[in-house]
Amino acid sequence: MLGIIIIDDEVLVRVGLKSLIDWEKYDCHIIGEAGNGEASIKLIKETKPAIVITDLKMPIKDGLELIEEAQQEDFDTKFIVLSSFDEFHLVKKAMKLGAVDYLIKLELDDELLIDTLSTVKKMISKEKERMKNENIIKHNINKKGNLRKEFLKKLIGGLISNKNEIEIISQKLDINLHLENLFCMVIQLNNIDSLNKFNFEFSIINIVEEIVNDYFTAYAFLNNLGEIVVIFLFDNQNPVCNYYIRINEMTITLKKMLKQYFSVKISIAISKAHNGFDKISTAYFECCEAAKYSFQAKTGEPIYYKDIKKYQSGQRNEIDVVSFVNRLSEALDIMEPAAIEDLFKEMIETISVENLSKNKAYDLCFQIAYLIKSKLDESLAVKILEQKESFYKYIEGLNNLAEVVDWLVNIEERLLLVSNENIENEKNFIITQAQKYIKGHFIEELSLSSLAEELNISAGYLSALFREVTDIGFSEYITGLRINKAKDLLSNTNIKIYEISKMVGYHNPYYFSRVFKKTTGKTPSEYRLKKY
């Protein structure tokens, strides 16, 4: 029987409805009643009725609010609304919110109520039948999907090899793959730690199968944690030359979508099953072999079994990691930009030529990162490595040589930036010290050589550095200090000019006057007269 709740703020309406028909005769029974929408929500939650007959105008919470809240709570309940003649605008709102029928109170009789209940009961019956059918279909799909997965896993493992048996089973499981132009693809997920098992098995597999089926007839399944196998067929109607163009388009889309939605980086290996469906296990093992060299493939490109010889022959691993690291250590000692730049250029060129293995590449990156972390100040190391997480974990996330090279290029750029800043800071420090010394000794017989000796650098380097940092020469700087001091004394004291000359470092008053006029355009006497 279907449970019914009656909601109306008028007791007589509720009593009238309950007594209008023999409810059980029509496979219904009243399981509750309420006088307002607020109380009815709790009642609906507790009794879970099939049908609610409710008035639209009620205190505290009206019928419209009740229906809206019930829809938000996702109650599996059908609403029949009661209204007056002048409330049709409310009925329209109720129908929009999900009510299935309405009754006009003044027209309500047993026949109209029975007809309305019959209509709603048929609606409920159809929905139940539909849900039952959907559940059966889902069950069958899941069952067939599981059988298909187990069949394909046995197939790639070589556990089924009889051609006739394979064809019979594939027909029963609706696996529509022909014996020609058949490919196997192995997708390795390189950072599955961030994924939970549910997402991995359901979301990612579905996305992979959907994308590949946009290009080919395909079946995807999880073979091992972190490994998805896809068996796909290239349509015979398309020319063979389109094989690899379409496959490359498909793999680019795969990598883009999985990275965008799941933050997953993948590598892809592909092999063609040359002898048909019964030889797909060979193609699978060829994919596994090709996957060993995916580290050498370019970013975004799959690696084909047919191409692995070029990676095998190129992988000589002759790079001397120890030598590179020792030379980098020396370059970091002096933070010389040119030495750093030359070394990184050589490293990157060598990596490209030698087709470095994953272990060798990681070893090089680990040692470079460790060297930077151990030799430089912590703040500089953080600035250069620029990783919030462990740099070991970050390096292990580099999926191929192209990403290793990108990492090295970024490290080089940040090292050069820091080393150039360091050089600039050192230059500024030297000149600051020089200026400080000059200001304290400019009235003495001060020469470039004596100052350079004081700072423990060469006179030539000091001369060049002084002009580079201050934009003026050593002599000009001292002259400027002396003349400015002289101008101050001439303006604010009555000290004689020849005495001022000695006070600012000129023992010859005639030479002082000549320098003063050349600098200011006036003699010391003219300058003093103008000021007074």
Coordinates of all heavy atoms in Angstrom, one line a residue, residues 227-254:
E227 N 48.7 1.5 -14.0 CA 48.9 1.0 -15.4 C 47.5 0.8 -16.0 O 46.7 -0.1 -15.5 CB 49.7 -0.3 -15.4 CG 49.9 -0.8 -16.9 CD 50.5 -2.1 -17.0 OE1 51.8 -2.1 -16.9 OE2 49.8 -3.1 -17.1
I228 N 47.2 1.5 -17.0 CA 45.9 1.3 -17.7 C 46.3 0.8 -19.1 O 47.2 1.2 -19.8 CB 45.2 2.7 -17.9 CG1 44.8 3.3 -16.6 CG2 44.0 2.5 -18.8 CD1 44.3 4.7 -16.7
V229 N 45.6 -0.3 -19.5 CA 45.8 -0.9 -20.8 C 44.6 -0.6 -21.7 O 43.5 -0.6 -21.2 CB 46.0 -2.4 -20.7 CG1 46.1 -3.1 -22.1 CG2 47.2 -2.8 -19.9
V230 N 44.9 -0.1 -22.9 CA 43.8 0.2 -23.9 C 44.1 -0.6 -25.1 O 45.2 -0.6 -25.7 CB 43.8 1.7 -24.2 CG1 42.7 2.0 -25.2 CG2 43.7 2.5 -23.0
I231 N 43.1 -1.4 -25.6 CA 43.2 -2.1 -26.8 C 42.2 -1.4 -27.8 O 41.1 -1.2 -27.5 CB 42.7 -3.6 -26.7 CG1 43.7 -4.3 -25.7 CG2 42.7 -4.3 -28.0 CD1 43.2 -5.7 -25.3
F232 N 42.8 -0.9 -28.9 CA 42.0 -0.2 -29.8 C 42.2 -0.6 -31.3 O 43.2 -1.1 -31.6 CB 42.2 1.3 -29.7 CG 43.6 1.8 -30.0 CD1 43.9 2.3 -31.2 CD2 44.5 1.8 -29.0 CE1 45.1 2.8 -31.5 CE2 45.8 2.3 -29.3 CZ 46.1 2.8 -30.5
L233 N 41.2 -0.3 -32.1 CA 41.2 -0.7 -33.5 C 41.2 0.5 -34.4 O 40.4 1.4 -34.2 CB 39.9 -1.6 -33.8 CG 39.6 -1.9 -35.2 CD1 40.6 -3.0 -35.7 CD2 38.2 -2.4 -35.4
F234 N 42.0 0.5 -35.4 CA 42.0 1.5 -36.4 C 41.1 1.1 -37.5 O 41.3 0.0 -38.1 CB 43.5 1.8 -36.9 CG 43.6 3.0 -37.7 CD1 44.0 4.2 -37.1 CD2 43.3 3.1 -39.1 CE1 44.1 5.4 -37.8 CE2 43.5 4.2 -39.8 CZ 43.8 5.4 -39.1
D235 N 40.1 1.9 -37.9 CA 39.1 1.6 -38.9 C 39.8 1.4 -40.2 O 40.5 2.2 -40.7 CB 38.1 2.8 -39.0 CG 36.9 2.4 -39.8 OD1 37.0 1.4 -40.5 OD2 36.0 3.2 -39.8
N236 N 39.4 0.2 -40.8 CA 40.0 -0.1 -42.1 C 39.7 0.9 -43.2 O 40.3 1.0 -44.3 CB 39.5 -1.5 -42.6 CG 40.4 -2.6 -42.0 OD1 41.6 -2.4 -41.9 ND2 39.8 -3.7 -41.6
Q237 N 38.6 1.6 -43.0 CA 38.1 2.5 -44.1 C 39.1 3.7 -44.2 O 39.1 4.4 -45.2 CB 36.7 3.0 -43.8 CG 35.7 1.9 -43.8 CD 34.3 2.4 -43.5 OE1 34.1 3.5 -43.1 NE2 33.3 1.5 -43.6
N238 N 39.8 4.0 -43.2 CA 40.7 5.1 -43.2 C 42.1 4.7 -43.7 O 42.5 3.5 -43.5 CB 40.9 5.7 -41.8 CG 39.7 6.4 -41.3 OD1 39.0 7.1 -42.1 ND2 39.3 6.1 -40.1
P239 N 42.8 5.5 -44.5 CA 44.1 5.1 -45.0 C 45.1 4.9 -43.9 O 45.1 5.5 -42.9 CB 44.5 6.3 -45.9 CG 43.7 7.5 -45.4 CD 42.4 6.9 -44.9
V240 N 46.0 3.9 -44.2 CA 47.0 3.5 -43.2 C 47.9 4.7 -42.8 O 48.3 4.8 -41.6 CB 47.9 2.4 -43.7 CG1 49.0 2.0 -42.8 CG2 47.0 1.2 -44.0
C241 N 48.1 5.6 -43.7 CA 49.0 6.7 -43.4 C 48.5 7.6 -42.2 O 49.2 8.4 -41.6 CB 49.3 7.6 -44.6 SG 47.8 8.4 -45.2
N242 N 47.2 7.5 -41.9 CA 46.6 8.3 -40.8 C 46.8 7.6 -39.5 O 46.4 8.2 -38.5 CB 45.1 8.5 -41.1 CG 44.8 9.5 -42.2 OD1 45.7 10.3 -42.4 ND2 43.7 9.4 -42.7
Y243 N 47.3 6.4 -39.4 CA 47.5 5.7 -38.1 C 48.1 6.6 -37.1 O 47.5 6.9 -36.1 CB 48.5 4.6 -38.3 CG 47.9 3.3 -38.8 CD1 46.6 3.1 -39.2 CD2 48.8 2.1 -38.9 CE1 46.1 1.9 -39.6 CE2 48.3 0.9 -39.3 CZ 46.9 0.8 -39.7 OH 46.5 -0.4 -40.2
Y244 N 49.3 7.1 -37.4 CA 50.1 7.7 -36.3 C 49.7 9.2 -36.1 O 49.9 9.7 -35.1 CB 51.6 7.5 -36.6 CG 52.0 6.1 -36.6 CD1 52.2 5.4 -37.8 CD2 51.9 5.3 -35.4 CE1 52.5 4.0 -37.8 CE2 52.2 4.0 -35.4 CZ 52.5 3.3 -36.6 OH 52.8 2.0 -36.6
I245 N 49.1 9.8 -37.1 CA 48.6 11.2 -37.0 C 47.5 11.2 -36.0 O 47.5 12.0 -35.0 CB 48.2 11.7 -38.3 CG1 49.3 11.9 -39.3 CG2 47.5 13.1 -38.1 CD1 48.9 12.3 -40.7
R246 N 46.6 10.2 -36.1 CA 45.4 10.2 -35.2 C 45.8 9.7 -33.8 O 45.3 10.2 -32.8 CB 44.3 9.3 -35.8 CG 43.6 10.0 -37.0 CD 42.4 9.1 -37.4 NE 41.4 8.9 -36.4 CZ 40.5 9.8 -36.1 NH1 40.5 11.0 -36.6 NH2 39.6 9.6 -35.2
I247 N 46.8 8.8 -33.8 CA 47.2 8.3 -32.5 C 47.9 9.4 -31.7 O 47.7 9.6 -30.5 CB 48.2 7.1 -32.7 CG1 47.4 5.8 -33.1 CG2 48.9 6.8 -31.3 CD1 48.3 4.7 -33.5
N248 N 48.7 10.2 -32.4 CA 49.4 11.3 -31.7 C 48.4 12.3 -31.2 O 48.5 12.9 -30.1 CB 50.4 12.0 -32.7 CG 51.7 11.1 -32.8 OD1 51.9 10.2 -32.1 ND2 52.5 11.4 -33.8
E249 N 47.4 12.6 -32.1 CA 46.3 13.6 -31.6 C 45.6 13.0 -30.4 O 45.3 13.8 -29.4 CB 45.3 13.7 -32.8 CG 45.8 14.5 -34.0 CD 44.8 14.6 -35.1 OE1 43.7 13.9 -35.0 OE2 45.0 15.3 -36.1
M250 N 45.3 11.7 -30.4 CA 44.6 11.1 -29.3 C 45.5 11.2 -28.0 O 45.0 11.5 -26.9 CB 44.3 9.7 -29.6 CG 43.6 8.9 -28.5 SD 44.9 7.9 -27.6 CE 45.3 6.7 -28.8
T251 N 46.8 10.9 -28.1 CA 47.6 10.9 -26.9 C 47.8 12.3 -26.3 O 47.9 12.5 -25.1 CB 49.0 10.2 -27.2 OG1 49.6 10.9 -28.3 CG2 48.8 8.8 -27.5
I252 N 47.9 13.3 -27.2 CA 48.0 14.7 -26.8 C 46.8 15.0 -26.0 O 46.9 15.7 -24.9 CB 48.2 15.6 -27.9 CG1 49.6 15.4 -28.5 CG2 48.0 17.1 -27.5 CD1 49.8 16.1 -29.9
T253 N 45.6 14.7 -26.5 CA 44.3 14.9 -25.8 C 44.3 14.2 -24.4 O 43.9 14.8 -23.4 CB 43.1 14.5 -26.6 OG1 43.2 15.2 -27.9 CG2 41.8 14.9 -25.9
L254 N 44.7 13.0 -24.4 CA 44.7 12.2 -23.2 C 45.6 12.9 -22.1 O 45.1 13.1 -21.0 CB 45.3 10.8 -23.4 CG 44.3 9.7 -23.7 CD1 45.1 8.4 -24.0 CD2 43.4 9.4 -22.5

